[in-house]
Amino acid sequence: MYLTALPVVTLATQVFAQIVIPSDDWPGGPGQSLVPQDPDTELTSMLNEISPNRINATIAKLVSFGTRSTLSNQTDPVRGIGAARDWIAGEMRQYAAASNGRMTVEVPSYVQEPTSNIPNATVISNVVATLRGSEESNRVYVVSGHYDSRVTNVLNFIDDSPGADDDGSGVAISMELARIFATHVPKATIMFAAVAGEEQGLYGSNFMAQTLKDAGMDVQGMLDNDIVGSPNGDVGTPSAPFDIRMFVQGIPSSETTAEISTRASVGGENDSPARQLGRFVSEVAQNAVTQMNVHSIWRPDRFLRGGDHLSFLKAGFPAVRFTEPQENFAHQHQDVRVVDGVQFGDLPEFVDYDYVARVGKVNGAALWSLAQAPGTPKNVKLDTSALTNNSTLSWTLDPAADGGYEILWRMSDEPAWSYVISVGQVSSATVLLSKDNVDFGVRAVGKNGFKSPAAYPLAH
């Protein structure tokens, strides 16, 4: 009995092994492996100008205003959010002076009526330096940090609220990039923002996003830097000086129920515009110049927290949030105090300025690569009208895509684009690969070598 059973077991094992061994060749298909875009000579030089010492000085100055609570004094020249606002605007105007008129600085404001976190009508003011694009001024990219701060009680506008990391670090990146970019000429417009009202409820960023939407601006990417000042978390956790988290939303919060249903029906949950922006950032910002690893976290933000990128996502704009790899909550949203020998409070002594500079390089690499490339292709569609093992994609031709277009593809369970097919300056192409098995994207190419984020095709 045992002798006759043994061959059966052996045979079954062999057949099972043949079934589960994956084939590296399946499904096969055209194209070359995607190679990340490295910074060119100009961008490398720009990124190497980012100064840890200047970032240190910027954060120290912001801390010197005592408190930057949105509810604090707006007219005192030395203490409160008004003094911080005026100093930031003054610095931005100095940067703009070197731009030959390409950069302008504004302080757009509005009155926020009382809410649960704003007991009295309060002026909310953003500071925005706009570097106008030389070819497509209506196509916009935004980098932002919030200059307001808080302590344990969000309504406390009296006590010192240094806000060195949250979010002096993010404001310092916006300002440092504005200083460096002011002497260069991007093809698309870049806005360097320091917004207020974040700690009270994202009021400044909501005002900015809605203003841009109402003006019909084509905002194709927003980078939010919020708490990017330290690679160190709680005591005992290992430092991660070359790592930054990037939070990336999946299904867009701006989509209707019908649009979400359509997206889900084609398996596009992982291919929202925000996810494509995140993939682009990962491609262009992890290299020898930035010396950083960008870790995509596929959710809008951390649990129980939120940031200014959410305002842009709500307005229908692609946006991501950068946050340090591990947080020390004793240094966020805390009164400055010592308890059992532990220092609480968001103090400059806990900021690593070399680390902030590297995060600035990640942002700079992404921003410049976005602004120098053609815009993300529009009206990208995938023909699903007939049963076929080929895939036909179409899109609207863009004169700025003077280097043509590329079709990207990957297996549907892979996180990043794997293969690229150059198709030239055309508005449609057929790929000898089944749409049932892979995901496709289309990106635009400039003659200067810069390439846009991919656009995911809608089925039609």
Side-chain angles (χ1 to χ4, degrees):
M1 180 176 66
Y2 295 104
L3 290 176
T4 57
L6 182 59
V8 175
V9 173
T10 303
L11 178 61
T13 302
Q14 291 173 340
V15 171
F16 179 73
Q18 291 173 3
I19 292 172
V20 300
I21 292 175
S23 170
D24 292 336
D25 296 330
W26 192 89
Q32 304 295 322
S33 295
L34 188 146
V35 178
Q37 304 178 58
D38 285 329
D40 64 6
T41 301
E42 180 182 19
L43 178 53
T44 298
S45 175
M46 293 164 71
L47 298 181
N48 286 335
E49 286 186 57
I50 295 174
S51 167
N53 290 335
R54 291 189 66 95
I55 289 170
N56 185 344
T58 295
I59 293 175
K61 183 64 177 180
L62 291 171
V63 171
S64 76
F65 295 113
T67 176
R68 303 192 307 278
S69 166
T70 296
L71 308 179
S72 64
N73 195 298
Q74 299 205 18
T75 58
D76 189 313
V78 296
R79 182 178 177 84
I81 194 167
R85 172 201 62 212
D86 295 344
W87 178 78
I88 294 169
E91 291 294 296
M92 293 288 210
R93 291 187 179 109
Q94 288 186 39
Y95 308 154
S99 71
N100 291 323
R102 292 186 301 274
M103 178 180 283
T104 56
V105 179
E106 296 179 315
V107 185
S109 306
Y110 80 103
V111 175
Q112 175 60 49
E113 295 302 322
T115 67
S116 59
N117 286 336
I118 299 181
N120 302 301
T122 300
V123 175
I124 306 290
S125 299
N126 299 329
V127 182
V128 182
T130 301
L131 183 60
R132 189 176 64 256
S134 62
E135 297 182 11
E136 296 180 79
S137 59
N138 194 62
R139 176 161 61 96
V140 176
Y141 302 96
V142 178
V143 61
S144 180
H146 69 86
Y147 71 98
D148 61 307
S149 62
R150 64 166 289 179
V151 287
T152 304
N153 182 353
V154 74
L155 298 179
N156 179 350
F157 60 89
I158 301 299
D159 295 334
D160 281 355
S161 178
D165 191 359
D166 184 14
D167 187 31
S169 60
V171 172
I173 285 176
S174 283
M175 295 180 67
E176 184 69 349
L177 292 180
R179 179 184 71 85
I180 294 166
F181 281 38
T183 58
H184 296 263
V185 185
K187 294 180 180 295
T189 294
I190 305 174
M191 304 180 80
F192 308 86
V195 300
E198 193 271 353
E199 300 291 8
Q200 312 307 121
L202 312 182
Y203 289 104
S205 59
N206 185 66
F207 173 56
M208 182 178 183
Q210 193 60 47
T211 299
L212 290 169
K213 184 175 182 178
D214 292 345
M217 302 301 286
D218 185 14
V219 180
Q220 294 197 6
M222 185 270 189
L223 309 180
D224 177 26
N225 291 275
D226 195 349
I227 312 179
V228 292
S230 174
N232 304 312
D234 295 332
V235 175
T237 58
S239 181
F242 302 101
D243 299 273
I244 185 71
R245 288 183 292 174
M246 177 176 63
F247 289 87
V248 190
Q249 183 188 65
I251 296 175
S253 52
S254 61
E255 286 191 342
T256 65
T257 302
E259 288 171 332
I260 293 172
S261 178
T262 298
R263 180 178 295 279
S265 71
V266 298
E269 303 93 332
N270 194 26
D271 282 279
S272 64
R275 289 279 163 91
Q276 304 304 345
L277 175 62
R279 290 187 176 98
F280 179 90
V281 172
S282 294
E283 181 189 341
V284 304
Q286 299 184 100
N287 50 58
V289 180
T290 67
Q291 297 182 300
M292 290 293 280
N293 303 304
V294 179
H295 300 281
S296 296
I297 311 295
W298 283 349
R299 57 175 54 95
D301 210 326
R302 300 102 75 228
F303 292 103
L304 303 178
R305 307 297 287 273
D308 291 315
H309 63 304
L310 300 179
S311 297
F312 282 77
L313 289 168
K314 183 178 70 174
F317 301 137
V320 298
R321 173 187 179 144
F322 294 109
T323 295
E324 59 200 31
Q326 47 206 2
E327 300 171 74
N328 188 324
F329 299 112
H331 303 157
Q332 297 175 21
H333 299 185
Q334 295 284 345
D335 295 337
V336 179
R337 67 196 191 280
V338 177
V339 179
D340 297 329
V342 176
Q343 178 68 64
F344 286 77
D346 192 354
L347 298 166
E349 65 196 71
F350 301 120
V351 175
D352 181 329
Y353 302 104
D354 290 320
Y355 177 78
V356 181
R358 288 194 293 274
V359 178
K361 289 182 177 182
V362 168
N363 281 262
L367 275 177
W368 190 253
S369 298
L370 286 164
Q372 290 300 85
T376 303
K378 296 182 182 296
N379 301 315
V380 180
K381 298 177 181 179
L382 176 65
D383 187 352
T384 60
S385 61
L387 291 175
T388 172
N389 285 315
N390 298 328
S391 302
T392 298
L393 297 98
S394 62
W395 53 90
T396 300
L397 276 175
D398 180 0
D402 50 11
Y405 291 87
E406 294 176 342
I407 292 176
L408 309 181
W409 66 272
R410 70 179 198 275
M411 295 299 296
S412 63
D413 61 350
E414 292 179 342
W417 297 112
S418 302
Y419 298 97
V420 56
I421 307 165
S422 179
V423 295
Q425 288 180 289
V426 297
S427 60
S428 67
T430 295
V431 179
L432 304 183
L433 185 62
S434 174
K435 56 187 169 294
D436 294 331
N437 299 331
V438 303
D439 284 322
F440 288 105
V442 178
R443 70 180 180 185
V445 181
K447 283 185 177 179
N448 59 4
F450 286 92
K451 303 175 182 183
S452 76
Y456 184 74
L458 295 176
H460 78 106

